[in-house]
């Protein structure tokens, strides 16, 4: 069986995610079943053996991410897929992935929370967990798909970004996108651009955490004879634990700067009629589909509204928000949570920022967004 | 590293190096362990074993979780991963599956492997993942300051069992055998030769192997329980240890007090297909592998 199912398909979002992973070269999946992300795991269990990869169902989500990190250290392109409660369990090892600079992909098909919440119904309320869930300082990278096609495309992007910057990367989907079926076009394998982690040029003078000018160190794998030591403790360029203020400062600063410096290359968004917009609607994932419709209707009714749809939620495209804030008089932020990304927009927008909230369990309606746009337009 | 020793006729003999120097990360020594701790002996035995077996050092991977024993991964000069608390086994599982050519060993403490990491131990043994788990059991949480752990014997005093522990501890060899390990043994740090042999065997054996090392922790466990300093605890091991390979599972309970023996030995050595072998078998059957 082929790794890349070139052609046009009518495909479930969660399955498109699995196919995207395979197209990106994923050869290890460690996971634990959880609604609404289970179909990704099931698809990987079916497909990975067909392409020479391994699927393993671990005992829980903590073990799943630990196995994914281990596999990545042995050279695999590795991933897991989960939902809110599983994502919570993974947080400690997300930190390990960040500090050991181990590339991998974590898909979170979000459902309603807190706690067990709404297993079968939508939510977008893990957005801040993706940024701040693990302890300590770090910069997250997260893609937010709003269609089945994007479940495919953004999973590839997530693998490439993870490999390039050597860190775990999130795909923050939601139940609506995970469980909807749409047309997905899979290109030929040659048309898919793949990135692999930077590798050492030789053993001479190699230090596992000595970065190049781009702040990214080349990665040696287990079993290659480098005799590397990798630890979750604060470490120096050799990878040896050094428990002091200076080393902590140096290590954390580099890890943060590795992403912040490259943020303009990482952040992605799409804009519709924002050039002359008085009101900019900022949205992502399932909610952005309603936001798009609301903006269309508003325009027809003579309101100068535009849509900025996030493709990366993290790093947050702050520069573009600042630019838009120069001419727009207000921002409207619809999302299926009680105002998480809305607060982020507020940090960078000088004008009014209005949240359109939804506690989860269903689609945020275009009417709710339109109503808020009209309120501001008055 | 060089060591100096005095000859018996007043001559000073200089030894240029130790035969195991190349197996340790000398630039990380001295280690952080307390005087009298058994971890040095446990590490030496492991160093001997990985050198003796017919597996290239570059194919050896050592993993650990958190705690005093967790630091071993940083001292042995092979690819090593010091992971999160309790999660070395699932990390090792991913690593081994992604590259089956590696000889993967998890070397960690009783708290790390059996409290926070207990569930992972169960499932890795059940799957018969081809990894080796070596547990240094010192009956307490050493690095955090001598608290109760899942192997703390009944009545033992720790900083969180001031009136004596009233929890039943794990009997580790019994547990390992019950859940599917293919090789199970227990030694104290006094039984260096036996321990080395067991380690050699485990490293070369296919499947999930388990070795328990009963080890002194004078700082955290020995002192409050009147076992004395490291040397005295070793003396205690010498008096109380009984090698009994065919011991019954209840004989393996460790009481660490009174007249109760410390039963050590090679308790189990059996065969069954590993996780990867079964995976391969299934895929062949269905025509996905030639």
């Amino acid at each position: 069986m082929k790794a890349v199912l070139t052609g046009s398909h009518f495909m479930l979002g969660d399955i498109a995610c699995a196919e995207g992973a395979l197209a990106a070269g994923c050869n290890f999946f460690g996971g634990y079943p959880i609604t609404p992300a289970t179909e990704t795991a099931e698809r990987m269990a079916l497909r990975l053996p067909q392409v020479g990869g391994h699927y393993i169902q671990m005992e829980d989500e903590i073990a799943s991410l630990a196995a994914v990190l281990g596999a990545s250290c042995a050279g695999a392109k590795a991933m897991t897929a989960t939902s809110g409660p599983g994502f919570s369990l993974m947080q400690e090892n997300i930190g390990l992935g960040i500090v050991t600079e181990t590339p991998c992909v974590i898909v979170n098909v979000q459902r309603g929370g807190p706690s067990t919440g709404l297993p079968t119904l939508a939510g977008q309320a893990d957005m801040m967990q993706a940024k701040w869930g693990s302890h300590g300082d770090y910069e997250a990278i997260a893609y937010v798909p709003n269609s089945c096609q994007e479940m495919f495309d953004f999973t590839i992007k997530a693998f490439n970004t993870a490999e390039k910057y050597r860190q775990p990367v999130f795909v923050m989907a939601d139940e609506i996108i995970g469980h909807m079926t749409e047309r997905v076009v899979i290109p030929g394998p040659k048309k898919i651009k793949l990135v692999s982690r930077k590798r050492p040029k030789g053993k001479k003078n190699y230090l596992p955490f000595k970065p190049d000018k781009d702040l990214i160190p080349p990665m040696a794998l287990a079993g290659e004879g480098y005799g590397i030591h990798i630890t979750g403790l604060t470490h120096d360029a050799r990878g040896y634990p050094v428990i002091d203020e200076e080393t902590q400062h140096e290590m954390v600063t580099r890890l943060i700067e590795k992403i912040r410096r490259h943020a303009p290359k990482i952040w992605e968004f799409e804009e519709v009629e924002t050039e002359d917009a008085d009101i900019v609607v900022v949205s992502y994932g399932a909610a952005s589909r309603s936001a798009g419709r609301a903006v269309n209707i508003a325009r027809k009714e003579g309101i100068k509204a535009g849509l900025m749809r996030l493709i990366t939620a993290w790093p947050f495209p702050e520069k573009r928000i600042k630019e838009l804030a120069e001419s727009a008089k207000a921002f409207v932020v619809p999302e299926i949570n009680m105002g998480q990304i809305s607060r982020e927009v507020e940090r960078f927008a000088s004008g009014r920022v209005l949240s359109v909230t939804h506690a989860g369990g269903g689609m945020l309606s275009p009417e709710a967004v339109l109503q808020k746009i009209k309120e501001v337009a008055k | 590293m060089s060591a100096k020793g005095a000859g018996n006729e007043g001559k000073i003999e200089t030894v240029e190096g130790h035969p195991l120097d190349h197996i340790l990360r000398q630039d990380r020594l001295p280690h952080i362990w307390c005087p009298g701790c058994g971890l040095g002996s446990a590490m030496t035995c492991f160093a001997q074993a990985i050198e003796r077996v017919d597996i290239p050092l570059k194919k050896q991977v050592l993993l650990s979780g958190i705690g005093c024993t967790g630091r071993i991964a940083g001292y042995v000069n092979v690819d090593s991963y010091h992971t999160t608390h309790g999660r070395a086994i699932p990390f090792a599982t991913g690593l081994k599956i992604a590259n089956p050519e590696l000889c993967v060993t998890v070397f960690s403490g009783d708290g790390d492997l059996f409290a926070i990491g207990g569930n992972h131990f169960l499932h890795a043994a059940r799957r018969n993942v081809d990894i080796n788990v070596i547990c240094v059991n010192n009956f307490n949480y050493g690095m955090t300051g001598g608290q109760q752990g899942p192997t703390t014997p009944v009545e033992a005093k720790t900083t969180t069992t001031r009136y004596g522990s009233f929890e039943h501890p794990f009997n580790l060899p019994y547990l390992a055998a019950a859940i599917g390990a293919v090789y199970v043994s227990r030694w104290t740090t006094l039984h260096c030769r036996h321990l080395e042999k067991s380690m050699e065997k485990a490293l070369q054996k296919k499947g999930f192997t388990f070795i328990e090392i009963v080890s002194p922790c004078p700082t955290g466990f020995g002192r409050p329980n009147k076992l004395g300093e490291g040397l005295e605890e070793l003396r205690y091991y010498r008096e109380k240890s009984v090698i009994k390979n065919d011991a019954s599972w209840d004989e393996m309970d460790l009481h660490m007090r009174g007249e109760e023996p410390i039963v050590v030995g090679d308790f189990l050595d059996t065969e069954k297909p590993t996780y990867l072998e079964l995976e391969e078998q299934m895929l062949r059957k269905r025509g996905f592998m030639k």
Side-chain angles (χ1 to χ4, degrees):
Chain A
M1 270 302 255
K2 286 178 191 162
V4 183
L5 296 184
T6 306
S8 181
H9 306 265
F10 192 51
M11 203 177 251
L12 191 81
D14 279 351
I15 289 178
C17 169
E19 289 302 330
L22 293 164
C26 175
N27 53 0
F28 184 92
F29 184 103
Y32 187 77
I34 182 168
T35 307
T38 312
E39 294 86 351
T40 303
E42 289 171 350
R43 182 72 167 188
M44 291 305 256
L46 174 76
R47 292 275 282 132
L48 274 170
Q50 298 173 354
V51 300
H54 297 275
Y55 166 91
I56 183 166
Q57 189 161 307
M58 297 301 288
E59 52 274 19
D60 58 31
E61 286 89 347
I62 301 174
S64 299
L65 190 54
V68 162
L69 294 177
S72 180
C73 287
K77 281 194 174 180
M79 81 174 297
T80 187
T82 189
S83 189
F87 197 55
S88 296
L89 289 179
M90 288 176 188
Q91 291 299 335
E92 189 192 13
N93 277 327
I94 288 172
L96 182 67
I98 296 275
V99 94
T100 59
E101 299 179 67
T102 305
C104 66
V105 171
I106 301 161
V107 179
N108 178 355
V109 187
Q110 297 169 80
R111 64 199 225 183
S115 191
T116 313
L118 306 168
T120 56
L121 302 175
Q124 290 185 319
D126 303 344
M127 299 308 295
M128 280 296 166
Q129 192 184 190
K131 175 64 195 86
W132 300 108
S134 196
H135 53 283
D137 280 314
Y138 60 98
E139 285 290 342
I141 304 176
Y143 291 91
V144 271
N146 91 339
S147 66
C148 296
Q149 182 67 50
E150 288 187 351
M151 284 295 268
F152 179 87
D153 295 339
F154 292 6
T155 305
I156 299 175
K157 274 180 194 288
F159 268 99
N160 287 345
T161 311
E163 291 285 320
K164 182 162 185 194
Y165 297 103
R166 279 191 64 182
Q167 82 167 38
V169 169
F170 311 127
V171 178
M172 297 298 288
D174 52 67
E175 187 274 339
I176 294 168
I177 304 302
H179 279 167
M180 70 165 50
T181 302
E182 287 181 324
R183 194 164 92 109
V184 175
V185 178
I186 300 181
K190 282 182 190 151
K191 293 224 168 114
I192 299 170
K193 193 182 150 254
L194 297 183
V195 177
S196 288
R197 64 195 73 170
K198 208 195 281 178
R199 309 275 287 113
K201 290 197 179 75
K203 282 181 190 151
K204 210 182 159 202
N205 300 330
Y206 174 73
L207 296 175
F209 294 99
K210 185 169 178 267
D212 292 335
K213 275 194 186 136
D214 61 3
L215 301 182
I216 307 161
M219 182 171 177
L221 309 177
E224 292 187 316
Y226 284 87
I228 46 174
H229 179 57
I230 308 294
T231 176
L233 287 163
T234 295
H235 49 263
D236 61 15
R238 294 171 301 176
Y240 290 4
V242 181
I243 309 303
D244 66 28
E245 218 174 305
E246 277 173 295
T247 314
Q248 169 76 357
H249 177 75
E250 196 180 316
M251 185 190 80
V252 173
T253 308
R254 180 177 66 76
L255 290 175
I256 296 258
E257 279 302 308
K258 177 174 87 167
I259 305 307
R260 286 192 187 161
R261 193 190 287 179
H262 296 105
K265 277 185 264 170
I266 301 170
W267 61 52
E268 288 187 58
F269 42 83
E270 191 183 79
E271 290 182 31
V272 183
E273 296 195 88
T274 48
E275 304 83 11
D276 61 341
D278 288 334
I279 301 159
V280 176
V281 180
V282 181
S283 194
Y284 55 93
S288 68
R289 295 170 79 117
S290 294
R293 180 165 168 80
V295 165
N296 278 343
I297 299 171
R299 276 280 168 182
K300 276 181 197 148
E301 294 183 13
I303 302 168
K304 282 188 180 176
L307 173 70
M308 180 191 180
R309 182 170 75 84
L310 303 179
I311 287 172
T312 51
W314 308 112
F316 187 71
E318 56 187 62
K319 190 164 160 265
R320 186 57 191 153
I321 297 285
K322 280 182 197 160
E323 282 167 10
L324 288 167
E326 284 170 19
S327 52
K329 63 177 192 195
F331 288 85
V332 170
V333 190
E335 46 189 340
I336 308 175
N337 61 48
M338 300 312 279
Q340 298 193 4
I341 292 297
S342 164
R343 290 173 63 144
E344 202 62 17
V345 175
E346 228 167 56
R347 293 175 63 207
F348 304 105
S350 44
R352 290 171 73 193
V353 177
L354 291 112
S355 197
V356 185
T357 60
H358 186 298
M363 186 65 161
L364 190 145
S365 73
E367 290 73 27
V369 187
L370 186 62
Q371 198 190 332
K372 195 64 88 180
I373 294 174
K374 284 182 172 170
E375 223 174 273
V376 193
K378 270 181 202 163
Chain B
M1 226 175 21
S2 71
K4 285 179 181 175
N8 50 7
E9 282 164 38
K11 274 194 296 180
I12 291 181
E13 196 186 336
T14 305
V15 182
E16 284 308 323
H18 185 275
L20 290 174
D21 276 356
H22 64 289
I23 297 188
L24 299 180
R25 292 180 198 276
Q26 292 170 56
D27 52 351
R28 288 221 55 211
L29 298 171
H31 57 66
I32 61 158
W33 300 318
C34 306
C37 173
L39 279 163
S41 310
M43 182 166 75
T44 307
C45 291
F46 183 70
Q48 299 270 19
I50 59 171
E51 195 191 38
R52 277 202 206 128
V53 294
D54 196 19
I55 303 164
L57 280 175
K58 68 180 270 192
K59 294 292 168 203
Q60 303 268 2
V61 184
L62 184 58
L63 298 103
S64 68
I66 300 301
C68 297
T69 314
R71 293 301 185 99
I72 279 189
Y75 298 134
V76 180
N77 196 16
V78 295
D79 289 335
S80 49
Y81 295 86
H82 181 217
T83 69
T84 42
H85 194 22
R87 319 300 172 196
I89 289 178
F91 193 108
T93 301
L95 198 118
K96 175 71 189 182
I97 292 172
N99 185 353
E101 280 178 23
L102 302 174
C103 174
V104 178
T105 303
V106 172
F107 207 132
S108 216
D110 47 278
D112 183 73
L113 287 168
F114 293 99
I116 189 164
N119 201 33
H120 308 310
F121 182 82
L122 302 187
H123 290 278
R126 171 181 65 80
R127 292 185 185 110
N128 198 23
V129 184
D130 186 10
I131 61 174
N132 315 300
V133 175
I134 302 171
C135 174
V136 173
N137 182 6
N138 59 17
F139 311 99
N140 80 114
Y141 282 79
M143 191 173 267
T144 323
Q147 294 83 13
Q148 177 195 33
T151 57
T152 304
V154 172
E155 270 190 48
K157 291 214 172 136
T158 70
T159 52
T160 51
T161 56
R162 301 307 260 272
Y163 314 105
S165 176
F166 38 84
E167 286 188 16
H168 296 288
F170 272 132
N171 172 336
L172 298 180
Y174 187 12
L175 176 70
I179 57 182
V182 293
Y183 176 70
V184 178
S185 79
R186 170 199 279 159
W187 303 102
T188 75
T189 51
L190 188 73
H191 296 83
C192 279
R193 298 290 166 260
H194 293 91
L195 180 55
E196 270 168 43
K197 287 241 157 58
S198 276
M199 285 173 166
E200 281 177 45
K201 200 171 202 174
L203 289 165
Q204 292 172 100
K205 191 166 173 79
K206 262 199 266 175
F208 187 92
T209 70
F210 176 66
I211 300 172
E212 177 186 9
I213 308 172
V214 175
S215 169
C217 173
T219 311
F221 189 78
R223 216 165 285 149
N225 291 294
K226 306 205 164 28
L227 289 169
E229 295 301 317
L231 196 60
E232 288 164 71
E233 195 165 336
L234 289 182
R235 206 166 282 136
Y236 176 79
Y237 293 169
R238 193 174 61 186
E239 284 165 18
K240 298 285 180 266
S241 296
V242 181
I243 298 178
K244 200 171 177 193
N245 296 327
D246 60 350
S248 66
W249 301 117
D250 56 334
E251 281 178 295
M252 293 172 199
D253 279 338
L254 290 174
H255 303 274
M256 303 306 287
R257 65 187 146 91
E259 291 309 303
E260 303 285 352
I262 301 170
V263 175
V264 296
D266 247 351
F267 300 133
L268 177 73
D269 191 353
T270 180
E271 305 284 335
K272 69 176 175 188
T274 66
Y275 176 88
L276 283 169
E277 284 170 344
L278 276 178
E279 183 195 43
E280 197 181 319
Q281 255 180 50
M282 297 305 135
L283 294 178
R284 263 182 221 287
K285 237 186 224 176
R286 269 92 189 160
F288 283 107
M289 280 175 101
K290 279 167 197 165

